[in-house]
Every structure is written in structure tokens, then in C-alpha cells.
Amino acid sequence: MSFEGKTALVAGAGGGMGLNIANDLLAAGANVLLADAKSPPDDIAAGPGRHRYLQGDLTEEAAVEQAVATAVADFGRLDYLVNAIGVLWLEHDVSILEIDWAVWDRVFAVNLKTHAMTSSHAIPEMRKAGGGAMVHFSSIDALSGDPKPQDAYGASKAAVIRLSKAIAVQCAKDRIRSNVILPGPVLSPMQERWQGRPEAQAAVAARVPLGRLGTTQDQADACLFLLSDKASFITGTELIVDGGVTAQP
Ligand SMILES: NC(=O)c1ccc[n+]([C@@H]2O[C@H](COP(=O)([O-])OP(=O)(O)OC[C@H]3O[C@@H](n4cnc5c(N)ncnc54)[C@H](O)[C@@H]3O)[C@@H](O)[C@H]2O)c1
């Protein structure tokens, strides 16, 4: 899979999966605009692709505009978009019977609106480049109810799937593909409750048929495949990367 001469915008590139994906794209020769609310991580790959890091709140349209414009100004084109932004607020994102609606709105802004706005601003640049590919991160939590729910998280992640299908259908004529990854449990900063707690990790792994937690590399490998020309006939679909969790009764 070659990404040489191509440019990617990775939104959420300060996080576990986003940074892994950005680093793999840089290693595969792509130029990458990394964007995240966090300050730049120390371990951005050396290349051979070139990179630029923009810190900002991507629920703000001005920050999205700046990210897309900077990618095009610095690297000349935009071919790929990865939406790896997300928030999981275990304490505050609860059942709709109890939720604070300000929490609901913020979760939807981060988990859904950012994906829609980055796509909206990226599509005209991808058209100019003659096509492109997008991967948006949903979650297996989009697929089922939960007795101890994060209802805003689950509903916003389900909406990401529908958003991606809309983009896939509207932009196929422009040779722009849009797909979604649904990760299962992955050890990343989002799941800091499992960090340094082998017993908690073992309890989660016991519910995974393949017997382990997912890694950010598992997700990055799936993402680079979907971005690449190896997936040139794949659009408007979902790839579940969960070690078999959702295959169980
Ligand atoms: N880790 C898991 O177990 C898991 C499981 C299923 C789905 N996911 C999804 O996969 C994606 C990547 O997750 P991760 O584990 O790498 O999480 P992470 O917390 O490590 O990374 C998410 C990144 O999004 C950034 N972000 C949040 N709000 C932002 C905003 N307003 N503007 C700009 N950046 C913002 C954060 O700063 C963070 O760096 C997310 O969409 C997440 O919901 C994760």
C-alpha cells in the first residue's frame, strides 16, 4: 500500500488510534496534517512523509477550515480524511433518563458534528484532487443497547455510520469513498480506566473471543487498508474490528 505523494488529514491525531494512524501514514510516505485539541504528542514519526500539527477544538468550524486549508497550503492537495475524534464520558454520559442535556449536546458535537464538518470541508479539496477516501471511527457500542449505558456516545456513534453512507452515496461520482470502522475494546488513552490494571484488562479480554484487548495498531491496520487503493471497490460500509465480540450471541 503506497501513500507516496498523497496528503491526509487525521482529526483526533493526538489520541491513541489517531496518532498510530498518522504515524503509519507518514511511514508509508503520505504527508499528514495532524489535528487535535491536545498539545502535540512527543512521538510523531519522522517520515518519510512530512507533517504539520494543528491544535484546536474541531467542533469549531473555523478550526476545521484552518486544518483543511493548512493541509492544502502546505502539501498541495488533500486525498484522505480520518476521523478518529471521540469522547467517552463514563461519569456524565449516562441513560437518557438521567442525562444532563448539555452533556448530550457536547458528546454529539464532538463525536458526530466534527466528522460531518471535516468531511464537508474536505470533499471540495478531494474533488480537486480527482478523488479520495475517508475513514470515520464509530464503535461496536453503536449496535446494541446497554443496561449501564452511555446513551449519547452510543447514539452519536450510530449516527456516524449513517453519515458515512450519505457521504459514500453522494460522493461516489467524484471517486470519493467513505467507510466506517467499529472498534471493540482498545487499550488507548480513552480507556485510561484499564491502564496499569491487569485484572481489569483480563476481565475485558475474557469477553473477547480472540482473547485479548485490541491495540491501536489493529485499528490503524484496518484504517490504512480502507484508505488504500486495495479497498477501491469498498464504500459506504462498516468494518468491525473487535476480536469477535459482536459475533457472539
Ligand atoms: N478505545 C476504545 O476502546 C474505542 C472503542 C470503540 C471506539 N473508539 C473510538 O475510536 C476513536 C479513537 O479512539 P481512541 O481510543 O484513540 O481515543 P483517544 O481518547 O485516545 O483519542 C481521541 C482524541 O480525540 C481528541 N478530541 C476530542 N475532542 C476533540 C475536539 N473537540 N477537537 C479536537 N480533538 C478532539 C482528543 O483530544 C483525543 O486525542 C474515537 O472515535 C473513539 O470513540 C474507541
Side-chain angles (χ1 to χ4, degrees):
M1 291 188 287
S2 172
F3 294 92
E4 262 172 55
K6 301 291 179 74
T7 301
L9 166 58
V10 180
M17 296 183 205
L19 180 59
N20 202 144
I21 291 161
N23 280 344
D24 285 4
L25 285 167
L26 286 164
N31 299 320
V32 182
L33 192 294
L34 298 88
D36 200 288
K38 284 184 193 162
S39 50
D42 296 330
D43 43 353
I44 299 174
R50 293 178 292 140
H51 80 268
R52 177 88 184 266
Y53 192 95
L54 276 189
Q55 186 175 359
D57 178 354
L58 293 168
T59 64
E60 300 291 338
E61 190 169 18
V64 173
E65 275 173 341
Q66 190 191 359
V68 171
T70 305
V72 174
D74 284 13
F75 305 129
R77 56 190 289 138
L78 185 61
D79 306 278
Y80 307 115
L81 170 65
V82 176
N83 271 313
I85 289 181
V87 279
L88 175 62
W89 285 332
L90 293 168
E91 302 292 315
H92 305 288
D93 183 357
V94 290
S95 163
I96 53 154
L97 298 174
E98 296 153 20
I99 202 164
D100 173 339
W101 295 104
V103 170
W104 176 276
D105 287 347
R106 183 63 188 168
V107 170
F108 267 76
V110 173
N111 286 2
L112 180 62
K113 189 179 175 191
T114 60
H115 290 43
M117 282 201 304
T118 53
S119 303
S120 172
H121 285 277
I123 286 164
E125 296 302 333
M126 289 182 179
R127 284 178 175 148
K128 286 182 207 161
M134 305 180 184
V135 170
H136 316 278
F137 277 84
S138 173
S139 165
I140 58 170
D141 200 34
L143 301 178
S144 55
D146 190 332
K148 290 187 193 161
Q150 280 75 54
D151 274 339
Y153 185 84
S156 64
K157 290 297 185 182
V160 167
I161 296 172
R162 175 61 175 76
L163 171 71
S164 175
K165 288 185 193 297
I167 295 167
V169 169
Q170 290 171 53
C171 297
K173 64 180 183 315
D174 303 312
R175 296 164 48 84
I176 297 169
R177 296 182 297 104
S178 177
N179 291 294
V180 173
I181 291 177
L182 282 66
V186 174
L187 202 53
S188 77
M190 177 171 279
Q191 304 287 14
E192 60 181 358
R193 61 195 160 140
W194 301 332
Q195 303 284 356
R197 295 186 54 219
E199 74 295 344
Q201 292 179 26
V204 179
R207 300 198 298 271
V208 180
L210 285 178
R212 65 171 175 85
L213 286 177
T215 63
T216 60
Q217 190 63 55
D218 295 323
Q219 307 300 325
D221 289 343
C223 180
L224 263 67
F225 164 68
L226 286 173
L227 291 177
S228 78
D229 290 345
K230 298 274 185 199
S232 64
F233 200 53
I234 302 176
T235 196
T237 196
E238 297 82 60
L239 183 55
I240 296 176
V241 185
D242 72 346
V245 171
T246 52
Q248 301 172 113

